[in-house]
Amino acid sequence: MGKGTTELVDLLILLGMGAVVPLGLALVDEPGLTRIRRLWPLVAVPGALSLWLPRGGPATGCALLYALGTLAVALHAPLRLARTRSLAPAEIAVLTALAAPSVAGVALVAERSGYPLFGFEPHILALTVPHFHYAGFTAALVAGLVCRAARPGSAAARCAALSVPAGTLLVLAGYFLGNWWQFAGAAVLTTGMWLVGLVTWRELRPRSGDPVTARLLAASSAVLALTMLLALWWALGRAAGLPHPTLTWMAATHGVGNALGFALCALLAWRRIAADRTAAGRTAVDRTVVDRTAAERTAMNPTAAAGTDATETAR
C-alpha cells in the first residue's frame, strides 16, 4: 500500500478503536462490559499510538496493550453463552461481535512487530485490523440489534443475524483457503448487510419516532447498497482474475463509506434508541410509583380521599 492509503487505513482504525468499539459496547447488555468500556481509553490510546510509531518494540508493546483489551472483550463471549444458553440468531450475532475485535488486536500486534503471522504480508495484516472492527464487530452487533428490534418472526432479520457472522468467518477462512473462499464470504456477508439495510429502512426507520434517529438509520441503510457492492466486485475480481478496484480505491470508498456512513451512523442511531427506551422506562416507573403512593394513601385514609374526590367534583 502507498503512504496515502496507509494513512487513510490508520485513520479508519483510529475511529474504530476510539469511537466505534466503545459506542458498540454500550449497546451490549452484558455484565462487566460497562467497566471495560469506562477503561477503554487505557487501551485505545496505546493502540492509536502504535499506528504512528515505527515498527519495532515500542509499537509492538502499545499494540499488545490494545490486543489485551480486545481479548478482555472476547472473554465475555463464552461467559455470555454460558449465562444465556442461547444460540438464537441475534445472540450468535452478538457473540460474533464480542469475539471479532480480538482478531483485529492480534493482527495489529503482528503488523506492528513486522512478524508475518501465518505467512501474511504486513499490508494484509494492516487491512485485517479495520475489517474486524467494522465487518466483524459493528456489522455483527448491528445485525443482532436489528434482529431483536424487528417484528417477531421476521425471516429477513433472522437471516441477516446469521449471514453476517457466517460471512465474516468465511472471509477469515479465505485468508487461508484462497480467493474463492473470500468471494463466498463476501457474498454471504453482503447478503446479510443488505438484509440489515432492508429491515432497517422498511421497518425500523419509519417507527423510530425521532427525525434525527430516522435520518441516521436511513443513512446507515442506504450506504450499504454501494459499499457492499464494491466488496463483491473486489472479491470477485481477485478470485476470477477480472478487473477490480485497487486497495487505495477500496479504502477511499468501501472503507470510508462503511466506517462513517454505516458504522458510525448506525451506532449513533442505536444509542439514541437505547436512550429513548431508558427514558420511557423511567417515566413508566415514576408513574407506577405515583399511582402506588396514591393507592396507599387512599387505603390509609379513605375519608380524606373521598373528601378530595368531592372537592374535585365540585370544582
Side-chain angles (χ1 to χ4, degrees), residues 23 26 40 45 78 93 97 133 142 146 168 171 175 177-178 238 257 315:
L23 279 172
W40 193 253
V45 171
H133 276 91
V142 172
V146 167
T168 301
V171 169
Y175 280 67
L177 300 177
R238 289 192 68 209
R315 288 180 180 174

Side-chain angles (χ1 to χ4, degrees), residues 179-180 183 233-244:
N179 290 336
W180 281 109
F183 171 68
W233 180 13
W234 185 77
L236 178 60
R238 289 192 68 209
L242 299 174
H244 58 279

